[in-house]
Structure formats: structure tokens, C-alpha cells
Amino acid sequence: MIMEKGFFQRVYDIVNRIPYGRVTSYGAIAQFLGSKGSARMVGWALNSTKNSTENIPAHRVVNRNGLLTGKRHFSGNDMMKELLKSEGLLIEGDQIINFKEKFWDPNIEIDQE
DNA sequence: AACTTGACGGTCA
DNA sequence: ATGACCGCCAAGT
């Protein structure tokens, strides 16, 4: 029997590949996963990473505008922002200024397995 | 089994 | 540019 990876694990695999100092979007990951995933599903999957013992860089996933929409799911008020700033991202409010420049698209970087 | 709720994104007024 | 709607689909209630 071929065990297919669960949706969660597929998302984790991609997020784990986001390089230090780079970011991607929920939609980009969803697109990479194909019809099996909508952007909402990606967010939902990341929500369960806090139960995982793995260290998944979920802070490197933002919405398509480079806005830190998931900041509330991190401990503290600005944990997500601080993590990204420490990686060289320029952030004003909850908006990544150099988003386009730092954007990492799995559809381009990960051609196929 | 039905209804609501999202770490979203694209479209349209 | 801003805001409302709708599709997405698993989980929780």
C-alpha cells in the first residue's frame, strides 16, 4: 500500500523549505499543492503546527499582500514581526515593506520532486 | 447530519 | 483604492 502524505505534512514540508530571510504566501503553498488545497486549508494546517514538536518556521508564511495576518497565533503581541525583522525583513505596522523582493515562490523554486 | 468558522484569494461594484 | 461576496474544505459544535 502506498501511504499518501497527509495534507498537514505536505504543508510542513514546504514551509520547512522556506529559506531563512524569505517569505511566501498561503496561496502560493495552496497552489503548489494543487486542487487538494485552498489557501484557507494552509492556514488551518499551520494552526496545528503549535501542537507539533517540530520547529516549523510558520512565521515565514503571510498573506498575498505581505501582511502578517497570522500574528495573533504566535505568543506575545509581535512575536511574528520580531522573528521576521530579525531575519532582515522590513516591516511597518504589520506590513512587510520589501515583500516582493523577499518573496519565495515554491511553484518556482521547487519544480518537482 | 447540518451549520459555522477560519493563519486566504480572486472578482466585482 | 476600499469593501462586499463567494469558493475553498476540514474541524468543531
Side-chain angles (χ1 to χ4, degrees):
Chain A
M1 294 277 277
I2 299 177
M3 281 291 282
E4 231 177 283
K5 284 183 179 176
F7 184 75
F8 292 177
Q9 196 58 53
R10 301 278 299 288
V11 175
Y12 298 167
D13 286 349
I14 297 171
V15 175
N16 279 327
R17 281 178 162 150
I18 305 172
Y20 181 95
R22 305 292 295 283
V23 291
T24 192
S25 69
Y26 304 98
I29 294 173
Q31 187 181 359
F32 183 77
L33 291 179
S35 58
K36 295 285 184 185
S38 67
R40 283 182 186 273
M41 294 297 96
V42 175
W44 166 68
L46 289 184
N47 192 34
S48 72
T49 57
K50 51 191 176 194
N51 299 330
S52 174
T53 55
E54 282 186 77
N55 198 26
I56 298 163
H59 60 280
R60 295 182 190 146
V61 186
V62 298
N63 83 343
R64 73 167 189 95
N65 300 127
L67 196 61
L68 279 52
T69 51
K71 62 178 291 191
R72 327 187 320 136
H73 298 275
F74 290 83
S75 55
N77 287 329
D78 289 310
M79 177 64 82
M80 187 178 187
K81 186 200 287 188
E82 294 308 318
L83 284 170
L84 289 172
K85 282 170 74 176
S86 74
E87 298 190 6
L89 281 287
L90 304 178
I91 304 176
E92 188 175 290
D94 292 326
Q95 172 67 50
I96 300 176
I97 304 304
N98 52 348
F99 178 60
K100 190 172 181 180
E101 177 189 334
K102 298 292 186 179
F103 183 69
W104 180 86
D105 189 348
N107 299 288
I108 296 174
E109 306 293 341
I110 307 176
D111 236 341
Q112 76 289 346
E113 289 298 296

